[in-house]
Amino acid sequence: MLAQNGYGDPNAPTTLPFWVYVVVTLGCLIIAVVFSVYVSRFRGRQDAAQTAAEAAGFTYYDSDARGVGRLKFREFSGADSIGISHLMTGISPKGTNVTVFDYTRETEIQTSSEPTSRIGMIGGLAATNGASMHSGKSKIASGATRSGAIVEVLAYFPRLVISPQGAVRRTVNNITGNDIKFESDHFNRAYQVTSEDRGFAHLFITPDIIDLLLRSDGEIGLETMGDSILVITDLIDGRRLPSLGLFACRLAEQISQLAVNEYPPPNLVDPGVARRPFL
């Protein structure tokens, strides 16, 4: 009788239009292709980095075996976590230890999932039969992946940041006066230097350090923090990661002895004081 009066069975399954199935199928195919390309590129970079590490005498890790993502560098701030990949460790010919890696800023998002259940419509409101919501957290990249290297020094330096800068940022810094200037005009144009200790900045940034950074064509930045120096750059070819590590070693090996003597590790000042790892 209801059917004859133009009313259908409310419990009868609803048939979706054909175009909906087409759109869903195409969406799944696109997701599958993108995921496949991502996995392929990641595997290709992993193979290249691992091969380069072995050729350079470095040790390759497929996880953050050194806890790099937990270090409190300013470069790592502003993110919920730091994702570390393609990590490798090595030693320069002069005996400087270095850790090289790729890193990505990550943001944690709240996620929820609903188990499969029959969903009905009652009075225009969704209702589930015995279903419960499960929540959790997942991480998504919130910035471009970059490459970095960390070297340890026998000193305990104040925080100092040397950042490459373009024309716009240089103009702003010239107006605000936030950066520290040096005798090299080329260096002043290419980099912004900030530090909590201006005296240390002038001890650390010697002509040798300036020359080494300028030879990188303004692509390398660095940050000092305690007994560690972080060298950073945009993402480089996986085969060049060991070279970035050796660059960081050369930089550490050119630090003036005066700077090292002026800022000794706490355990050398007081043997009873342990090294503070900034964790």
Side-chain angles (χ1 to χ4, degrees):
M1 180 67 68
L2 288 175
Q4 292 176 355
N5 291 331
Y7 296 98
D9 183 357
N11 293 321
T14 302
T15 302
L16 297 175
F18 176 74
W19 65 267
V20 173
Y21 294 100
V22 173
V23 170
V24 171
T25 301
L26 288 176
C28 292
L29 287 174
I30 291 173
I31 292 173
V33 170
V34 171
F35 181 76
S36 177
V37 170
Y38 172 80
V39 171
S40 177
R41 288 183 177 178
F42 183 88
R43 286 293 305 174
R45 183 172 181 80
Q46 183 181 45
D47 292 342
Q50 190 167 3
T51 300
E54 293 173 355
F58 284 28
T59 302
Y60 182 87
Y61 300 89
D62 57 7
S63 63
D64 187 7
R66 301 297 298 272
V68 170
R70 295 184 293 114
L71 296 175
K72 303 303 182 183
F73 285 105
R74 185 172 298 172
E75 172 66 17
F76 295 167
S77 64
D80 293 329
S81 61
I82 298 295
I84 301 295
S85 58
H86 310 305
L87 184 143
M88 57 184 74
T89 59
I91 303 176
S92 77
K94 292 186 178 181
T96 302
N97 293 307
V98 63
T99 302
V100 193
F101 50 90
D102 291 337
Y103 67 97
T104 307
R105 297 169 180 271
E106 296 176 336
T107 300
E108 292 183 352
I109 58 174
Q110 194 72 26
T111 60
S112 61
S113 60
E114 184 177 0
T116 303
S117 62
R118 183 173 65 85
I119 301 179
M121 295 298 293
I122 302 178
L125 299 176
T128 62
N129 293 336
S132 60
M133 300 297 292
H134 301 281
S135 62
K137 291 183 178 180
S138 62
K139 297 178 181 180
I140 60 173
S142 57
T145 300
R146 308 189 74 193
S147 299
I150 294 176
V151 288
E152 294 183 358
V153 294
L154 292 176
Y156 203 80
F157 293 145
R159 195 181 301 275
L160 175 145
V161 179
I162 305 177
S163 307
Q165 62 178 354
V168 175
R169 185 175 180 182
R170 180 167 58 248
T171 301
V172 173
N173 290 331
N174 288 336
I175 295 174
T176 60
N178 290 332
D179 57 336
I180 303 172
K181 299 296 185 182
F182 296 83
E183 293 183 359
S184 171
D185 290 336
H186 188 187
F187 180 79
N188 291 335
R189 288 194 302 270
Y191 286 95
Q192 178 193 23
V193 178
T194 58
S195 177
E196 57 195 27
D197 185 334
R198 298 177 72 92
F200 166 69
H202 286 282
L203 284 177
F204 182 89
I205 303 176
T206 60
D208 288 338
I209 297 295
I210 288 175
D211 180 65
L212 186 61
L213 289 173
L214 288 178
R215 279 191 276 136
S216 74
D217 295 325
E219 296 179 355
I220 298 289
L222 69 85
E223 180 179 344
T224 65
M225 183 187 69
D227 62 358
S228 300
I229 300 175
L230 170 66
V231 174
I232 54 178
T233 187
D234 291 337
L235 186 67
I236 61 176
D237 190 300
R239 294 169 294 184
R240 295 177 54 202
L241 284 171
S243 297
L244 178 62
L246 294 176
F247 177 93
C249 291
R250 287 197 300 273
L251 188 146
E253 290 159 4
Q254 290 189 19
I255 296 173
S256 71
Q257 191 60 43
L258 181 59
V260 173
N261 294 340
E262 191 70 19
Y263 296 89
N267 58 341
L268 293 184
V269 176
D270 182 351
V273 178
R275 189 181 70 179
R276 295 167 291 181
F278 277 92
L279 291 178

